Amino acid sequence: MDFDYNIVWKNCLNIIQDNLGNSQSFKTWFEPIKPIKLENNVLTIQVPSQFFYEWLEEHYIGLLKKTIKKELGINGRLEYSIIMDNSNFGNEPFTIKVPTSNKKATQNQAVNMPLDINNNSSKEIPNPFIIPGLKKIKVNSQLIDHYSFESFVEGDCNRLARSAGYAVAENPGKTAFNPLLIYSSVGLGKTHLAHAIGIQVKNNFPEKTVLYVSTEQFIQQYIESIRNNNHNDFIHFYQMMDVLILDDIQFLAGKEKTQDVFFHIFNYLHQRGKQIIITSDKAPVEMNGMEPRLISRFKWGLSADLQIPNIETRIAILQKRLYNDGIEMPSEVIEYLAYSITNNVRELEGALISLLAQSSLNNKIITLDLARQMIDKFVKNTSREISIDFIQKIVCDYFNISVDKIASKTRKRDVVQARQMAMYFSKKLTKSSLASIGNQCGNKDHATVLHACKTVSNLIDTDKSYKIYVAELEKKFNL
Ligand code: ADP
Ligand code: MG
């Protein structure tokens, strides 16, 4: 029976050629196929790659079905054997079964997906690979709905990363931003932005397969696939993505094997114009413990960083959050929060949530006082100090002048007084150097700040009304 499969396949090719003519398609997609066996009415053909198989599935499944039926009868079936294009992952060919009759398809599980890929709608088809004609498998994208572009506040701190992310979502895999690498220190919105891109791709192109995965999860799945002896499945699963989002890639540091696997998945996807989005806590040049060839891949696309949001953006983030949750809060409280917590959006939101919790648990309305008490604890816990920005704001509010006057050249008496007090309190309440205080209070030098501090101390001792100003301000700073 050895020669049977050759004859059967030859007959099949004749039928296919009849349908396609002597076209380029025939040459490209059917000539490279090798028949390898025929057993129990199942013809196995070998194809050069996973991609090749997918292409056949997408474009020629009808024709193949018809052809097999003609040659082998109604119970005839076709199986694919895919030559792995990567020798690192074992040499045995990876077989995917494709019956031309899909009635019993559910029993034939050739591929185990490392993730829960099945939505309720396809419960009875645990492995969609085996259903001929099914173009795309359903992947649980793991995207978090509320991390959308709508809820991501734009600011100077994130403009480049945000617009690159948006461009990628409009045209995944087709922009120069592939891979798109977003980096920043913690709590500045990498994960949020990465999800936003994924969500937007799904909105624009519902048929695209998008996956968000944390690097820790990726590593875990890889280790498990080795343990269960199905690392081919693991790789194939990732090779199916149109958009792959890998969050916190720094966790790959020192994990050579996983880096290696990711390198191959990366190449596979990139070569096929699939979009890769990576986040990291460092720029590529600073990534330690990462293979140079991987780092060089990261540099192919665009690396965009997220910076600490300025005061306006921090206020806007809080306002948007409150608006979305339908909560009202006095603007002085919002400003107080935004001025107090400066360099981590997650902590800023954390403070807001504690404040809301405190007020609802204790049935207190949210006032500046409540915010202060809470922030004091919060700030102490996270060992943060009051910012110079905040000091300037309190002082200027007190003297009823606008904050930008501090940085101006004005030598008007009330402004000079406010500027000196802001310097005095900055020295007293922060760990900033005289030079940096001067820098933030109108670009003055350290001698000017020192002079201001002495002047304020002298006036406290000699001028009664001045002493009252300072005492009242101290109260505002909770001293
Ligand atoms: P990272 O991944 O960089 O550590 P996250 O994406 O987890 O940071 O962001 C921390 C929190 O801050 C999240 O709740 C996120 O929604 C919020 N956040 C960060 N940046 C923004 C922004 N520009 N607009 C709205 N929310 C933001
Ligand atoms: Mg994150």
Side-chain angles (χ1 to χ4, degrees), residues 186-192 212 247-248 250 279 346:
V186 293
L188 294 183
K190 296 182 293 292
T191 298
H192 186 145
Y212 167 91
D247 199 5
D248 287 323
Q250 70 271 11
T279 78
R346 186 175 301 137

Side-chain angles (χ1 to χ4, degrees), residues 66-279:
K66 197 170 82 182
T67 308
I68 291 293
K69 210 160 135 191
K70 233 180 209 165
E71 271 309 295
L72 296 175
I74 191 98
N75 293 322
R77 281 176 37 195
L78 187 63
E79 279 188 4
Y80 293 85
S81 167
I82 297 172
I83 303 172
M84 291 297 296
D85 52 1
N86 193 326
S87 51
N88 278 1
F89 303 127
N91 295 322
E92 24 13 306
F94 178 73
T95 304
I96 294 172
K97 301 179 178 199
V98 182
T100 53
S101 146
N102 64 11
K103 273 196 197 123
K104 288 248 163 200
T106 50
Q107 259 83 57
N108 280 319
Q109 292 198 32
V111 186
N112 297 311
M113 294 304 152
L115 285 174
D116 168 23
I117 56 164
N118 296 300
N119 289 349
N120 298 340
S121 55
S122 58
K123 262 221 166 86
E124 70 287 9
I125 311 169
N127 177 4
F129 260 132
I130 53 172
I131 304 302
L134 193 84
K135 287 195 181 145
K136 288 284 172 190
I137 66 155
K138 277 214 167 111
V139 170
N140 173 359
S141 293
Q142 309 204 99
L143 293 166
I144 299 171
D145 289 345
H146 64 262
Y147 279 165
S148 61
F149 271 111
E150 288 75 52
S151 61
F152 191 77
V153 174
E154 185 173 356
D156 291 341
C157 55
N158 60 36
R159 195 153 284 128
L160 173 67
R162 189 183 184 281
S163 54
Y166 201 83
V168 159
E170 293 299 302
N171 236 335
K174 308 242 161 27
T175 66
F177 312 145
N178 199 16
L180 174 62
L181 189 137
I182 303 163
Y183 66 96
S184 76
S185 54
V186 293
L188 294 183
K190 296 182 293 292
T191 298
H192 186 145
L193 186 56
H195 278 277
I197 299 168
I199 291 167
Q200 189 72 4
V201 171
K202 281 306 258 183
N203 290 342
N204 289 338
F205 311 96
E207 76 288 356
K208 287 214 188 283
T209 308
V210 178
L211 180 70
Y212 167 91
V213 65
S214 69
T215 299
E216 285 152 309
Q217 197 184 9
F218 182 85
I219 295 169
Q220 205 51 44
Q221 287 169 358
Y222 173 66
I223 293 169
E224 239 152 67
S225 79
I226 299 291
R227 192 181 304 136
N228 301 334
N229 216 6
N230 60 359
H231 55 292
N232 284 346
D233 296 355
F234 169 84
I235 289 153
H236 284 298
F237 176 74
Y238 278 96
Q239 286 177 340
M240 285 185 311
M241 299 309 144
D242 293 314
V243 177
L244 176 62
I245 304 166
L246 194 62
D247 199 5
D248 287 323
I249 192 103
Q250 70 271 11
F251 292 122
L252 279 189
K255 307 225 160 42
E256 280 163 37
K257 277 261 160 36
T258 324
Q259 283 183 35
D260 196 43
V261 170
F262 179 63
F263 179 74
H264 289 289
I265 292 171
F266 182 103
N267 286 341
Y268 183 96
L269 295 177
H270 197 273
Q271 275 162 20
R272 286 161 182 78
K274 312 294 185 170
Q275 180 69 47
I276 300 148
I277 298 150
I278 300 163
T279 78

